Amino acid sequence: MASKNDDLHGNAPDSSPVALMIIDMLNNLEFPEGPQFLEPTLAAARNIAKLKQQAKALGIPVVYVNDNFGRWQSNINDIIDHCLNDGVRGEPIVRLLKPESDDYIVLKPKHSAFYATTLDALLAYLHTKKLILTGISADLCVLFAANDAYMRDFILCVPSDCVAAGSSTDTEAALAYMKRVLQADTSPSPQLNLTELVDQ
């Protein structure tokens, strides 16, 4: 049954059974473990950028879910400007994954993409049932988002080459958990059949 405002007053004009989520990749990496994160996160960012391009060609909406760096009043443009212009460690990652004008943005106050955010409402208006989760950290914010998505009955894909953590051991353990417990497809992104995900 159609709702009174099918496109959320113009704020959710897309409709897709699948959405690509990019979690915490607009990040300065200026935290104690940042040096360990840089190389695997940059590798993941390159793969996410390719996956994003493929997804958008099929009309799959892209949703950035990002920390606000502890300042409730922060906005995404401030975060991007800081990452690109203040000489921070995460600059090359943000250059690869800078949001485009038709991407969706959700700022989160804590670990899960769903906790105290607008994500539930957005995904409902997008008519999304399947989520492709990417980003950092595989064993924290991606995992928390995956848990909450699973409890909401979303079908999950977490491409193994599109997530990163502070160590490969942590990444592999998180992926193994999501595959075993959350029934996530953890195949690397080149093995994802995006057309099939859209058509199913």
Side-chain angles (χ1 to χ4, degrees), residues 105-168:
I105 308 290
V106 174
L107 287 176
K108 61 186 176 71
K110 297 194 77 173
H111 306 92
S112 173
F114 289 90
Y115 178 76
T117 75
T118 58
L119 185 60
D120 269 324
L122 173 61
L123 295 175
Y125 276 95
L126 293 176
H127 305 107
T128 297
K129 302 297 180 188
K130 293 168 266 191
L131 295 175
I132 304 169
L133 303 184
T134 68
I136 58 173
S137 174
D139 60 339
L140 191 59
C141 293
V142 175
L143 178 60
F144 277 58
N147 278 319
D148 280 357
Y150 176 80
M151 288 190 290
R152 288 162 170 80
D153 293 325
F154 286 96
I155 296 167
L156 296 175
C157 296
V158 187
S160 59
D161 61 333
C162 293
V163 296
S167 73
S168 58

Side-chain angles (χ1 to χ4, degrees), residues 93-111:
I93 292 155
V94 178
R95 288 205 181 279
L96 277 169
L97 291 175
K98 184 178 176 182
E100 297 167 88
S101 60
D102 58 345
D103 294 333
Y104 296 93
I105 308 290
V106 174
L107 287 176
K108 61 186 176 71
K110 297 194 77 173
H111 306 92

Side-chain angles (χ1 to χ4, degrees), residues 139 165-175:
D139 60 339
S167 73
S168 58
T169 300
D170 290 341
T171 301
E172 290 163 10
L175 286 165

Side-chain angles (χ1 to χ4, degrees), residues 22 44-54 96-97 162:
I22 301 176
R46 293 188 184 105
N47 295 324
I48 295 169
K50 293 176 188 173
L51 184 61
K52 178 184 175 182
Q53 186 177 33
Q54 295 163 1
L96 277 169
L97 291 175
C162 293

